[in-house]
Amino acid sequence: MLLLTCPYCGVEADETELSPGGEAHLKRFGPGASDEDFEAYLFLRDNPKGVHLERWRHANGCGKWFLAARCTSTLEVFGTYPAQTTRPPEDVLEAIRAKRPGWEMPA
Amino acid sequence: MRRYSAFAIAREAARHHQGWERAWRSPEPRKKYDAIIVGAGGHGLATAYYLGKNHGLKNVAVIEKGWLGGGNTGRNTTIIRSNYLQDPSAAIYEKARSLYETMSQDLNYNVMFSPRGVIMLAQTHHEVRGYQRTAHANQHQGVSTRFISPEEVKKLVPIINLDGPRYPVLGGLWQARGGTARHDAVAWGYARACSDMGMDIIQKCEVTGVRSSNGQVMGVETTKGPIDCDKLGIVVAGHSGVLADMAGFRLPIESVALQALVSEPIKPCMDVVVMANTVHGYMSQSDKGEMVIGGGADGYNNYTQRGSFHHIEETVRALIETFPMISRLKMLRQWGGIVDMTGDRSPIISKTPLGNCFVNCGWGTGGFKAIPGSGWAMAELMAKGESPLAAEFTMNRFKAGRFIDESVAAGVAH
């Protein structure tokens, strides 16, 4: 059972309380963007075997969207953080690098 | 290759079964092949088989990081059907279903294809309308299906409870020629036939990189050293994203866990396959008597081949209402496989941005039934550069907006 701590209400929620929302930090392009940009935003995913930055909603709790750093091959959770950001906070990045040396944030 | 036959059994019985030969060779990789297929699951082996059989391309290696058929080919619920809504889907799944009918004779390997019939239960009014529409579409596509009444469902499945308070049975989409097959035998049969054509099936050999030059694929790096090839086929289901990353492109795919479970064996009680898509539960009875149950896919990215327990709980809870007699069955085993989900829930059989590199993936939760059709189309694509069956399943369809929208057609994973 996957446990994630909601960064808003502080509840350590198990996955029946949460809704997964796929890859985080997707880059959304504005008017005039190319078809390639739009395709990348809507469909193309890194789908890594390893560290995955992803969106979750505390659906059966406070209802808010947050982000999590998790390993898809061990289900280890490195940390959760609020959604209003374009990259993980330093403490989460450090937690990832401590366990996965050489990991780099995907472009 | 010595053919399997009743005579062969008699011959071997007379000499204490000392004469059976290994079904396939386990060679070391050569330096170069005309074509390399990554992934020795059903789809990869079928691709290699039809490359040799239909296109005369026999200098082929199939590379597998684990053991042959040990991924999703050995982890599914073995259901075969072709009652899809969209034309391209119906075409390729019906091709696959028809190839299953003759597969045992074609491969000289008993894949135990059992065309026992498949019912998809309509348990909401939305599903009734949806399946009636599918039945009409199937008539145009040459796929034999029929919408049947609850009474007909009851006649086919006496153990069913039509009047569940939450999920009443309002009818069903019946495909009499659907059924099941022995999943391992499909992989083993193709492997034996490929090996017999001189192809090399290289197990316990992981691809660690894809080599290219001037936008053309040159070969692969593996744990058994580099291997050159003219053409590369990536047929690795859940790990497609990992291989695509090596080859330098991205796919519209996310990998999630899908679970199944089997009960203790019981006496024969259900001789058709029943799918209940509203509640994400599929059930059939194996030849051993186990009730084979498939559930819904998890929602989050996962490569662990383990799923979340609450999905099993939800599936079983709903199935017990529809099949009250299974409520006291003990479950023997549960397992998970990593399925590759596309945005429109249809597969990708396509050229890639890397020259002479082809990809066959995205079968999601319904790959087993497609194995022969998928291999047929992928082999044609790799040999000729185009395949009518695969024409609509390009990876560029997402950019073009030409979805093959089966997620709407079925309402759920399938």
Side-chain angles (χ1 to χ4, degrees):
Chain A
M1 183 69 72
L2 193 62
L3 295 173
L4 295 175
T5 304
C6 173
Y8 296 104
C9 63
V11 167
E12 192 185 36
D14 82 41
E15 60 180 283
T16 55
E17 223 173 294
L18 302 162
S19 296
E23 192 172 314
H25 307 301
L26 293 176
K27 197 167 178 186
R28 187 169 185 171
F29 296 88
S34 66
D35 286 355
E36 283 75 19
D37 290 340
F38 205 52
E39 183 199 18
Y41 166 66
L42 281 176
F43 298 109
L44 299 186
R45 298 292 179 261
D46 287 335
N47 194 21
K49 184 177 187 177
V51 179
H52 191 234
L53 306 175
E54 60 193 13
R55 306 164 72 225
W56 286 87
R57 192 166 91 89
H58 194 185
N60 296 320
C62 70
K64 291 203 171 116
W65 283 98
F66 65 92
L67 306 181
R70 190 177 60 87
C71 178
T72 58
S73 61
T74 62
L75 302 188
E76 192 175 1
V77 178
F78 303 108
T80 55
Y81 51 102
Q84 290 76 17
T85 178
T86 54
R87 58 185 275 120
E90 278 309 313
D91 60 318
V92 173
L93 287 173
E94 270 170 35
I96 298 171
R97 288 187 192 119
K99 292 279 181 65
R100 301 285 185 277
W103 178 80
E104 282 178 37
M105 175 103 180
Chain B
M1 177 178 80
R2 280 224 173 98
R3 285 182 63 79
Y4 294 149
S5 64
F7 172 73
I9 293 172
R11 181 189 68 217
E12 293 305 325
R15 56 176 179 183
H16 306 287
H17 295 281
Q18 298 294 305
W20 295 114
E21 54 187 24
R22 284 189 179 275
W24 53 83
R25 297 169 294 112
S26 294
E28 288 302 303
R30 296 203 293 270
K31 280 202 161 26
K32 183 171 187 304
Y33 294 90
D34 290 345
I36 289 178
I37 308 294
V38 186
H43 290 260
L45 291 164
T47 301
Y49 174 72
Y50 292 113
L51 272 176
K53 188 184 179 216
N54 293 355
H55 305 285
L57 199 63
K58 295 180 179 172
N59 183 15
V60 174
V62 186
I63 300 178
E64 168 60 49
K65 78 170 174 180
W67 66 95
L68 185 161
N72 294 348
T73 304
R75 292 165 187 272
N76 57 76
T77 50
T78 78
I79 298 170
I80 296 163
R81 62 184 179 87
S82 59
N83 50 355
Y84 281 72
L85 178 65
Q86 309 291 351
D87 291 348
S89 320
I92 196 164
Y93 286 107
E94 177 63 11
K95 176 72 183 175
R97 195 203 55 75
S98 68
L99 286 168
Y100 268 117
E101 288 188 333
T102 54
M103 187 182 283
S104 294
Q105 293 77 12
D106 188 26
L107 299 178
N108 180 234
Y109 202 101
N110 185 5
V111 300
M112 296 163 72
F113 176 58
S114 161
R116 59 183 67 181
V118 176
I119 301 177
M120 293 171 86
L121 297 180
Q123 296 182 290
T124 64
H125 289 289
H126 173 83
E127 273 188 312
V128 170
R129 286 192 291 270
Y131 289 149
Q132 284 174 340
R133 182 185 176 205
T134 303
H136 293 150
N138 287 162
Q139 292 197 345
H140 290 290
Q141 293 153 344
V143 177
S144 175
T145 63
R146 193 162 63 85
F147 189 83
I148 59 175
S149 68
E151 292 70 35
E152 287 174 281
V153 172
K154 182 75 181 175
K155 206 174 278 178
L156 286 162
V157 194
I159 64 169
I160 206 165
N161 172 24
L162 296 178
D163 309 317
R166 284 174 71 197
Y167 308 110
V169 176
L170 306 173
L173 182 64
W174 170 238
Q175 183 171 24
R177 301 180 79 170
T180 61
R182 171 91 169 93
H183 50 187
D184 295 321
V186 173
W188 298 338
Y190 276 127
R192 176 166 169 266
C194 287
S195 185
D196 184 48
M197 284 192 278
M199 297 178 181
D200 287 352
I201 299 162
I202 302 155
Q203 302 181 70
K204 295 183 192 164
C205 175
E206 184 170 357
V207 170
T208 53
V210 174
R211 288 185 296 124
S212 62
S213 167
N214 296 325
Q216 296 291 312
V217 73
M218 303 301 287
V220 290
E221 303 285 347
T222 76
T223 49
K224 292 190 174 182
I227 312 174
D228 292 340
C229 66
D230 294 333
K231 292 181 178 176
L232 179 67
I234 297 174
V235 196
V236 293
H239 280 69
S240 297
V242 178
L243 267 288
D245 187 44
M246 291 177 196
F249 56 90
R250 292 210 295 170
L251 288 168
I253 280 190
E254 290 190 275
S255 298
V256 301
L258 176 69
Q259 297 176 86
L261 58 159
V262 296
S263 75
E264 59 192 329
I266 54 174
K267 286 186 175 178
C269 65
M270 192 174 81
D271 61 358
V272 298
V273 179
V274 179
M275 311 185 65
N277 288 341
T278 297
V279 297
H280 292 226
Y282 323 124
M283 192 162 80
S284 62
Q285 189 168 24
S286 73
D287 293 342
K288 283 182 284 184
E290 302 156 329
M291 303 309 284
V292 183
I293 297 173
D298 285 5
Y300 58 85
N301 293 43
N302 187 350
Y303 281 88
T304 62
Q305 295 186 324
R306 292 198 301 266
S308 299
F309 183 72
H310 68 96
H311 281 287
I312 290 187
E313 198 179 358
E314 286 159 12
T315 296
V316 169
R317 190 167 58 209
L319 283 177
I320 282 174
E321 189 182 295
T322 309
F323 302 97
M325 65 157 276
I326 69 167
S327 66
R328 297 178 72 176
L329 277 186
K330 295 181 185 74
M331 293 298 153
L332 284 191
R333 295 190 303 281
Q334 166 273 345
W335 64 92
I338 301 307
V339 297
D340 38 343
M341 308 290 277
T342 58
D344 61 1
R345 300 295 183 263
S346 285
I348 293 169
I349 306 173
S350 176
K351 295 176 184 175
T352 69
L354 184 61
N356 281 330
C357 173
F358 304 85
V359 67
N360 179 352
C361 61
W363 293 94
T365 60
F368 175 74
K369 69 174 90 72
I371 283 173
S374 156
W376 184 286
M378 179 71 170
E380 193 171 19
L381 179 69
M382 288 183 70
K384 294 182 175 173
E386 58 182 356
S387 164
L389 276 179
E392 304 291 326
F393 294 107
T394 65
M395 60 187 281
N396 290 331
R397 71 173 183 269
F398 297 93
K399 190 166 74 182
R402 288 197 313 271
F403 310 122
I404 304 165
D405 205 341
E406 292 292 353
S407 51
V408 173
V412 291
H414 51 110

